[in-house]
Amino acid sequence: MAGDLTMLQQLCESSGISGDESGVREMILAEISPFVADVKIDALGNLVAFKKGAKKASKKLMISAHMDEVGFIVTHVTDEGLLKFAPVGGIDANAIYGKPVTVGNKSLTGVIGVDKPVHLLKSEERQKSIAIDDMYIDIGANDKRQALEHVMPGDTVSFPANFKYENGMVKSKALDDRVGCFVLMNLIKQDLPFDTYFSFVVQEEVGLRGAKVAAFGIDPDAAIVVEATTAADIKGTAPEKQVCRLSNGAVIAFMDKNTVYDRALYDLALDLAKKNNIKVQVKSMVTGGNDAGAIHQSRAGVRTIAVSLPCRYLHTACGMICADDIWETQKLVEKLAEKICNA
């Protein structure tokens, strides 16, 4: 199955760390509005759309993906004009030193530096991880006054746009979870057999906050979470610890750190994949988590499954996914939705 990745590129190249997703939300809203019967934005910033299908569903289904990406927030400007910052979401400090970043509404380019340069470190110090508290962002300002003309505490910081599609692989920041949003948008543009609710939620990376609110508002019987999940299929990693592999299709989990998934939906996903010749793989470790952790506990409980895409280098300046896995995931979500709605 081939497809156009233009919208995925636009989504990934937009900045939208947790709590500052408005640019991504407006892009999605403009794209899906002609295809839905109703759309609203709730108090937290979630975008919830109702897609009218050919028939009324016997079970209310919520299909969800999160709009936010990991990043940083400016906390202080030093007298020298350097920006101190805090992480927004789970980011490994070892993966950010020396990286370029995009700062604030003016999209200034900055570079992450460290208080004590590497060439001044003693040999034993070089073996230790650098703490984010010991880092800063350099935007080239001469002093605090000049820096504050462009940036202020509370401004958000993201990794710069870097989307590439080469040899069947997509490489970009923010694939977690703009690729999930992309899948939802593609489904919305299709003629669906049953009425379906779609939620594009905020603040997943800082505690599944948007999903909790969206699920309470929709009050679904069942939910499908479309996510990106860690692929550690690289040299030196034992097969059982690789979690999942690029090019092997959609990823289904029986359990992660936040959710024990609905067993009947887990079995249904594997059965549908087999019957429809959809590539699927089972997550090989109980690790990570996603919005299912909040959704399945909403109100009186929601039967929930996550369908994920394998992604290398998650929560870094550039992740990597296989384009074919996108289409396999989309096909599986489509088949699952039809079965759940007609259960």
Side-chain angles (χ1 to χ4, degrees):
M1 179 178 180
D4 186 358
L5 298 175
T6 302
M7 180 51 61
L8 177 60
Q9 179 172 355
Q10 293 174 8
L11 288 168
C12 289
E13 291 184 345
S14 298
S15 294
I17 74 165
S18 306
D20 189 27
E21 302 94 344
S22 60
V24 179
R25 182 175 58 243
E26 292 306 311
M27 181 183 297
I28 295 172
L29 179 62
E31 191 73 14
I32 69 171
S33 289
F35 302 94
V36 296
D38 182 63
V39 63
K40 65 180 181 180
I41 300 169
D42 66 26
L44 210 61
N46 298 312
L47 176 61
V48 179
F50 173 66
K51 170 76 174 183
K52 189 71 176 171
K55 299 178 183 178
K56 184 177 180 179
S58 59
K59 299 292 185 183
K60 185 188 285 187
L61 174 65
M62 168 186 181
I63 306 180
S64 191
H66 69 88
M67 297 183 287
D68 57 314
E69 64 190 279
V70 296
F72 312 95
I73 193 164
V74 177
T75 58
H76 176 72
V77 181
T78 71
D79 290 340
E80 297 79 17
L82 302 172
L83 314 181
K84 301 298 285 185
F85 62 95
V88 178
I91 302 178
D92 185 354
N94 293 316
I96 65 173
Y97 171 61
K99 293 291 190 295
V101 289
T102 302
V103 183
N105 294 331
K106 296 182 180 179
S107 298
L108 296 174
T109 298
V111 179
I112 296 178
V114 63
D115 292 340
K116 191 173 184 180
V118 173
H119 67 279
L120 295 181
L121 294 176
K122 297 178 181 178
S123 58
E124 61 270 19
E125 291 178 312
R126 295 186 184 187
Q127 307 304 315
K128 299 178 181 179
S129 297
I130 303 172
I132 286 180
D133 285 347
D134 295 327
M135 296 182 186
Y136 56 79
I137 296 171
D138 186 351
I139 59 171
N142 293 325
D143 52 31
K144 184 173 185 176
R145 179 196 59 78
Q146 188 179 53
L148 287 172
E149 291 176 0
H150 304 280
V151 182
M152 64 181 295
D155 280 354
T156 59
V157 181
S158 60
F159 293 116
N162 54 5
F163 189 98
K164 297 288 184 183
Y165 175 54
E166 301 168 324
N167 300 318
M169 297 292 174
V170 177
K171 306 159 193 176
S172 178
K173 63 106 173 170
L175 286 166
D176 175 17
D177 184 32
R178 304 289 161 68
V179 68
C181 295
F182 177 65
V183 169
L184 266 62
M185 293 166 74
N186 289 340
L187 293 173
I188 286 173
K189 292 176 182 179
Q190 298 179 12
D191 293 328
L192 299 182
F194 296 99
D195 298 348
T196 307
Y197 288 83
F198 292 85
S199 59
F200 300 86
V201 301
V202 299
Q203 298 189 40
E204 189 268 356
E205 301 292 2
V206 291
L208 321 183
R209 298 170 188 176
K212 181 178 181 180
V213 173
F216 187 92
I218 296 171
D219 191 17
D221 298 302
I224 303 171
V225 175
V226 186
E227 250 292 14
T229 194
T230 300
D233 55 333
I234 54 177
K235 184 178 180 180
T237 304
E240 70 275 12
K241 293 185 178 180
Q242 292 183 1
V243 186
C244 57
R245 301 178 63 87
L246 268 64
S247 304
N248 280 19
V251 183
I252 304 298
F254 44 82
M255 179 179 173
D256 60 33
K257 294 294 187 181
N258 294 325
T259 310
V260 178
Y261 290 96
D262 185 278
R263 190 71 193 195
L265 293 182
Y266 170 81
D267 291 340
L268 176 62
L270 295 176
D271 184 58
L272 288 172
K274 183 178 181 180
K275 288 180 177 177
N276 292 279
N277 197 30
I278 299 170
K279 292 177 70 174
V280 68
Q281 55 188 308
V282 174
K283 201 169 180 177
S284 67
M285 293 185 68
V286 177
T287 186
N290 55 59
D291 280 325
I295 294 171
H296 84 283
Q297 299 181 79
S298 181
R299 293 189 185 245
V302 180
R303 298 182 61 194
T304 305
I305 185 170
V307 182
S308 302
L309 289 105
C311 180
R312 291 180 190 154
Y313 320 118
L314 213 65
H315 289 195
T316 68
C318 188
M320 181 187 298
I321 63 174
C322 173
D324 285 345
D325 290 336
I326 301 174
W327 316 124
E328 297 300 307
T329 298
Q330 184 173 314
K331 287 188 289 185
L332 182 56
V333 172
E334 186 177 356
K335 293 296 182 182
L336 265 172
E338 182 174 357
K339 281 290 185 181
I340 292 170
C341 286
N342 196 34

